[in-house]
Amino acid sequence: MRVEIWSDIACPWCYVGKARFEKALEAFPHQDAVEVIHRSFELDPNRPKGDTAAVIPMLAQKYGMTEDQAKDAERRLGDNAAAEGLAYRTEGRDHGNTFDMHRLLHFAKEKGGQDTQDRLIGAFYRANFAEERSVFDDDERLIALAADAGLDADAARAVLADPDAYAEAVRADEREAAELGANGVPFFVLDRKFGVSGAQPAEVFTQALEQAWEARSPLTVLAEGPSNGTDGTDGDACGPDGCAVPGA
């Protein structure tokens, strides 16, 4: 079973939602049969690289709040993160363009598979939400995080130096999100049959995993293999005991 997660590094609920989903997945009896793929979604795709700003004033302006109200909102988010065992800096964070991080996540998936991709997105989240040094407009910071996740630092540097590297993969994810009706993140898609929007409680993810597992369609065989001969007319095949030999 495949679970695809559309998310953005700048999204605090994606950080919290990932932890809640993982809590449900850890308790899921078929977790070893679940493939998790992280998909790209930029909350602010038109933001130029290098355009960074403090989070609190941005929240106040965007949502029509005072800065004190924005700080209260961040503290509440911090409480939600802490409940999932996550560190969260409620003040002093910045935000900016996340396109390069998404490109590196596709690079990680190609070079190291889903485990490497998962380690890297976890490192990006922690760096953005829990650590002091910014991940925006700091290529060396991103390269160091990629190396910590098991990727070759020089190869990661080459990806960042080429603005076209994995760019289409990011855009394809974003087009697909729009086609699926996702207009916010986190957005979880289970086997392309069920969707879960938002950082739901772990119990909701548990129910979704169970429902998707039960709904898996059994394979419909349209043509059977040989039943009584090996003359090439009955769909000869290979199996654990070897291959059928024509005319034998």
Side-chain angles (χ1 to χ4, degrees):
M1 187 168 74
R2 172 176 287 188
V3 178
E4 296 162 277
I5 307 174
W6 272 264
S7 59
D8 192 12
I9 306 305
C11 165
W13 287 116
C14 294
Y15 180 44
V16 173
K18 182 177 187 292
R20 291 176 177 173
F21 170 76
E22 288 174 347
K23 183 181 293 184
L25 183 61
E26 185 177 355
F28 186 56
H30 310 290
Q31 62 171 299
D32 291 341
V34 178
E35 178 187 24
V36 179
I37 303 293
H38 294 285
R39 301 291 190 192
S40 298
F41 190 107
E42 295 171 275
L43 291 171
D44 193 358
N46 297 317
R47 189 184 192 93
K49 181 176 179 177
D51 179 12
T52 61
V55 166
I56 296 296
M58 178 275 293
L59 291 176
Q61 181 178 8
K62 183 174 183 178
Y63 296 107
M65 301 186 290
T66 66
E67 289 203 6
D68 283 342
Q69 289 172 324
K71 289 178 181 179
D72 286 341
E74 279 291 278
R75 282 192 285 268
R76 288 193 295 272
L77 262 167
D79 290 342
N80 276 273
E84 305 303 330
L86 302 173
Y88 190 97
R89 296 176 64 230
T90 58
E91 294 190 45
R93 291 192 303 107
D94 65 351
H95 69 110
N97 181 284
T98 59
F99 188 59
D100 282 348
M101 283 181 273
H102 285 296
R103 295 197 298 121
L104 283 174
L105 287 169
H106 280 279
F107 164 68
K109 175 67 168 60
E110 180 180 279
K111 297 300 182 182
Q114 66 188 64
D115 289 343
T116 301
Q117 186 189 48
D118 189 71
R119 284 197 300 274
L120 184 57
I121 197 170
F124 284 161
Y125 279 140
R126 287 189 297 274
N128 184 36
F129 292 109
E131 299 174 6
E132 291 187 14
R133 185 177 172 185
S134 176
V135 294
F136 303 106
D137 195 28
D138 186 350
D139 285 358
E140 289 305 313
R141 174 68 163 146
L142 299 184
I143 291 164
L145 291 169
D148 288 345
L151 294 162
D152 180 79
D154 289 337
R157 185 175 287 106
V159 169
L160 293 179
D162 178 2
D164 293 328
Y166 301 95
E168 177 52 30
V170 176
R171 298 304 182 215
D173 276 357
E174 293 173 337
R175 287 193 299 269
E176 202 163 17
E179 291 167 3
L180 290 169
N183 53 18
V185 285
F187 189 69
F188 301 77
V189 176
L190 294 80
D191 263 356
R192 291 298 171 105
K193 294 180 180 178
F194 302 96
V196 177
S197 180
Q200 300 290 342
E203 293 80 6
V204 173
F205 289 119
T206 296
Q207 293 170 6
L209 287 166
E210 291 172 349
Q211 187 172 355
W213 184 263
E214 292 298 323
R216 290 175 307 139
S217 299
L219 183 67
T220 300
V221 179
L222 300 179
E224 295 285 354
S227 58
N228 56 9
T230 56
D231 61 359
T233 62
D234 289 325
D236 293 334
C238 297
D241 296 325
C243 297
V245 180

